[in-house]
Amino acid sequence: MKVLVINCGSSSLKFQLINSEDESVLAKGLCERIGSEGSRLVYSTHKIDKKELDKDLKDHTDAVQMVIDTLTDKEIGVIESLKDVDAVGHRIVHGGENFSKSVVIDDEVIKAIEACNDLAPLHNPANLIGIKACEKLMPHTKMVAVFDTAFHQTMPEKAYMYGIPYEYYDEYKVRRYGFHGTSHSFVSERAAEMIGKPLSETKTIVCHLGNGASITAVKNGKSVDTSMGLTPLEGIIMGTRSGSIDPAIISFLANKENISVNEVMDILNKKSGVLGMSGISSDFRDITKAMEEGNERAKMTMDAYCYSVAKYIGSYITAMNGVDVIAFTAGVGENNPYIRKEVCSYFKYLGVEIDDEANSQRTEDAVISTDKSKVKVLLVATNEELKIARETLALI
């Protein structure tokens, strides 16, 4: 069976067509700048390394149509017709408390996703546009919603409740939800495989470190705590997001700068994190390079970032009363040996010891701790699309 995985952003659409028999990627691509000038599809297959196709994409329906046209193209396509696509798996960012697992999409599911729009205003509406575009163009194909938040629905109340009046939870469902759940689930399963231990008997801390980043404590295969909260703004320092700060900073800055709360929130989401701290970039490659060239502010930023990650790991070791595995994944986690080693330097008291040679490699699954290390440290390449395809296949 062939599963098409769709991940819609506000102005983008990522996709992969996966053969479920051997889990190979037949084709993948990214529609960029949807609704703007210069829109295009960057496309590759098992035969084509990379092809850029320029086309005016007015909306996500146009983007889905272009994906379909490209996949079925006689010269560069990989399938003969839409009949070869057995199912579509959609990444949905926020499912609130309604969804603790993936579901087949129907009208009721769509309404429930719409009800979460206030919790993820930049993501859920775009996700819904992708679903509706696929329904229009592929009306007879079964579709599945796979939620970023679903994996974290196993958190206990003590982990997800905030110290605010209970009526805000009762009325508005203000609580910790967590994100990147598909990645945390995939990586924790892969980590258990790599150490040869049942998932149901492992204590794993997954560090999903990218431009957006989150840390999750996974005990016996279940999320018991995670760093992102009601929104993806909470948690560690990120590329452009501040992470957790004193809430009073919001009103303080609004008063000092004579700006609105929404303007402050925009600063915290888009102009903060390592970008705001370093004044250089939100790209860790640029900050690492500047640090190596002697830029003290870049070094301060990197130190603060690693410390932020280490603090969450330490708290989750406490939450699980121990740890078997610390796994690094996503763009930064998979590609920045300095950050991996620096973060782990805070856990020498636990007997964590990094193998410098193993740690120097990038984007390949590997044990990067020494044989003497009392906690296994892993580099695991995340694969959210494959996880979505597996969830989709299991349901249809």
Side-chain angles (χ1 to χ4, degrees):
M1 296 180 72
K2 296 179 180 65
V3 179
L4 179 61
V5 176
I6 298 285
N7 180 358
C8 279
S10 57
S11 61
S12 66
L13 185 156
K14 287 197 295 185
F15 74 92
Q16 285 192 14
L17 182 65
I18 295 174
N19 182 350
S20 63
E21 292 180 9
D22 59 5
E23 297 190 334
S24 61
V25 178
L26 301 176
K28 63 181 179 179
L30 171 66
C31 293
E32 299 178 302
R33 299 179 62 81
I34 296 171
S36 304
E37 289 185 13
S39 55
R40 63 175 184 167
L41 167 62
V42 180
Y43 174 78
S44 62
T45 72
H46 55 297
K47 294 181 180 179
I48 302 169
D49 285 339
K50 185 179 179 182
K51 195 171 184 69
E52 297 182 4
L53 305 168
D54 296 321
K55 188 172 182 179
D56 181 26
L57 302 173
K58 297 187 298 295
D59 52 34
H60 285 74
T61 302
D62 281 355
V64 172
Q65 184 66 64
M66 187 175 186
V67 169
I68 291 169
D69 292 344
T70 307
L71 290 173
T72 56
D73 186 90
K74 290 183 179 180
E75 293 184 4
I76 63 173
V78 293
I79 55 176
E80 290 186 9
S81 72
L82 279 181
K83 293 180 181 178
D84 293 329
V85 177
D86 298 288
V88 181
H90 291 269
R91 179 209 178 199
I92 309 297
V93 168
H94 217 309
E97 291 188 325
N98 296 311
F99 302 102
S100 59
K101 58 184 178 181
S102 302
V103 293
V104 176
I105 295 172
D106 59 20
D107 290 342
E108 291 303 310
V109 169
I110 289 174
K111 288 178 183 177
I113 295 171
E114 287 175 341
C116 295
N117 281 359
D118 286 347
L119 297 173
L122 298 178
H123 299 92
N124 271 35
N127 300 155
L128 284 164
I129 290 169
I131 290 173
K132 291 173 181 178
C134 287
E135 283 184 333
K136 179 180 178 181
L137 298 169
M138 309 168 69
H140 304 298
T141 305
K142 287 188 176 180
M143 301 193 192
V144 170
V146 181
F147 300 91
D148 272 12
T149 50
F151 182 61
H152 301 300
Q153 284 297 300
T154 54
M155 285 190 293
E157 284 183 319
K158 64 183 179 182
Y160 70 70
M161 290 298 292
Y162 288 119
I164 59 176
Y166 189 82
E167 58 259 32
Y168 297 133
Y169 169 71
D170 228 9
E171 187 169 354
Y172 306 119
K173 298 303 177 186
V174 176
R175 52 158 284 183
R176 179 182 310 284
Y177 287 100
F179 299 89
H180 298 134
T182 308
S183 176
H184 287 297
S185 176
F186 178 88
V187 171
S188 57
E189 290 173 7
R190 178 65 182 128
E193 289 176 11
M194 289 173 67
I195 67 168
K197 195 172 181 180
L199 181 64
S200 60
E201 298 175 12
T202 55
K203 296 176 181 178
T204 303
I205 295 172
V206 180
C207 304
H208 179 106
L209 308 182
N211 195 278
S214 60
I215 317 292
T216 294
V218 185
K219 186 176 182 180
N220 302 334
K222 295 181 178 181
S223 171
V224 295
D225 206 346
T226 191
S227 59
M228 284 181 168
L230 174 72
T231 74
L233 182 59
E234 188 181 0
I236 69 168
I237 296 167
M238 300 176 229
T240 63
R241 297 179 189 138
S242 64
S244 297
I245 60 170
D246 180 347
I249 290 173
I250 297 172
S251 60
F252 181 85
L253 290 179
N255 293 330
K256 287 290 185 181
E257 295 286 314
N258 194 27
I259 56 179
S260 69
V261 169
N262 286 340
E263 288 174 304
V264 176
M265 294 304 296
D266 190 66
I267 291 168
L268 297 180
N269 273 292
K270 299 177 182 178
K271 300 176 182 178
S272 299
V274 297
L275 170 64
M277 294 177 73
S278 69
I280 297 168
S281 172
S282 64
D283 192 315
F284 283 82
R285 290 169 295 188
D286 297 333
I287 297 171
T288 301
K289 183 173 182 292
M291 180 185 69
E292 291 170 348
E293 292 172 351
N295 186 307
E296 291 185 6
R297 194 162 145 190
K299 177 68 165 61
M300 174 276 294
T301 300
M302 195 68 85
D303 287 346
Y305 178 81
C306 293
Y307 182 60
S308 172
V309 174
K311 282 200 297 183
Y312 271 95
I313 293 173
S315 68
Y316 291 161
I317 292 170
T318 300
M320 295 192 294
N321 197 18
V323 63
D324 300 308
V325 178
I326 299 171
F328 290 90
T329 193
V332 177
E334 293 172 29
N335 292 287
N336 197 308
Y338 174 87
I339 287 176
R340 293 194 296 261
K341 184 170 182 178
E342 187 66 18
V343 168
C344 289
S345 71
Y346 286 92
F347 303 106
K348 291 178 180 177
Y349 74 97
L350 286 177
V352 173
E353 190 175 295
I354 294 297
D355 182 323
D356 289 334
E357 184 176 350
N359 185 45
S360 66
Q361 69 171 309
R362 298 164 188 260
T363 66
E364 292 182 10
D365 293 358
V367 178
I368 60 171
S369 51
T370 67
D371 292 339
K372 295 179 181 179
S373 182
K374 293 181 179 179
V375 177
K376 294 288 186 184
V377 182
L378 309 182
L379 187 165
V380 182
T382 191
N383 195 332
E384 294 169 278
E385 289 79 12
L386 178 56
K387 181 67 177 176
I388 291 171
R390 287 173 177 172
E391 296 269 330
T392 301
L393 183 66
L395 281 170
I396 62 95

